[in-house]
Amino acid sequence: MYSFYDETLIRLGLPLEQTTLPRVVLYYNAGVFVEGHKGLLSCSEEKITFRLNKDKIGISGKGLKIREISDRQLFIRGEVSFVGVVDE
């Protein structure tokens, strides 16, 4: 079974790179897909923070909602204005 990211590469006809590195994919300003997260730290409609290896990643915006979450994957919908490493 392929991950969401791998399936996207296959559909685009791009080479599949098997890696254990975390992946963060921003879909314009409509959402964010994260593969390889290490846990959710905080969640509100304006900011979602989670652990990615040793870093804390913050997503800011408006109307943020977690659409899917599993032990390794996270999909967030909403108007995204910032994705990056945060120091909290």
Side-chain angles (χ1 to χ4, degrees):
M1 184 169 160
Y2 293 111
S3 70
F4 175 81
Y5 184 80
D6 291 341
E7 286 180 20
T8 303
L9 290 176
I10 291 168
R11 289 182 185 185
L12 292 173
L14 299 172
L16 243 183
E17 297 179 79
Q18 294 298 329
T19 179
T20 58
L21 294 175
R23 296 176 177 140
V24 178
V25 180
L26 175 64
Y27 292 98
Y28 301 101
N29 69 341
V32 177
F33 174 77
V34 179
E35 187 175 48
H37 74 91
K38 302 293 184 187
L40 189 63
L41 300 173
S42 68
C43 180
S44 72
E45 287 191 11
E46 290 81 34
K47 187 173 184 180
I48 297 174
T49 308
F50 57 92
R51 186 165 301 284
L52 197 62
N53 290 338
K54 296 178 183 177
D55 296 317
K56 293 179 185 175
I57 304 296
I59 298 172
S60 300
K62 296 180 184 175
L64 299 178
K65 295 180 183 177
I66 296 175
R67 300 299 289 188
E68 293 182 33
I69 188 168
S70 70
D71 61 336
R72 301 289 295 153
Q73 297 179 346
L74 177 65
F75 185 64
I76 299 164
R77 297 279 298 175
E79 188 178 321
V80 177
S81 59
F82 170 81
V83 176
V85 177
V86 294
D87 187 33
E88 293 183 352

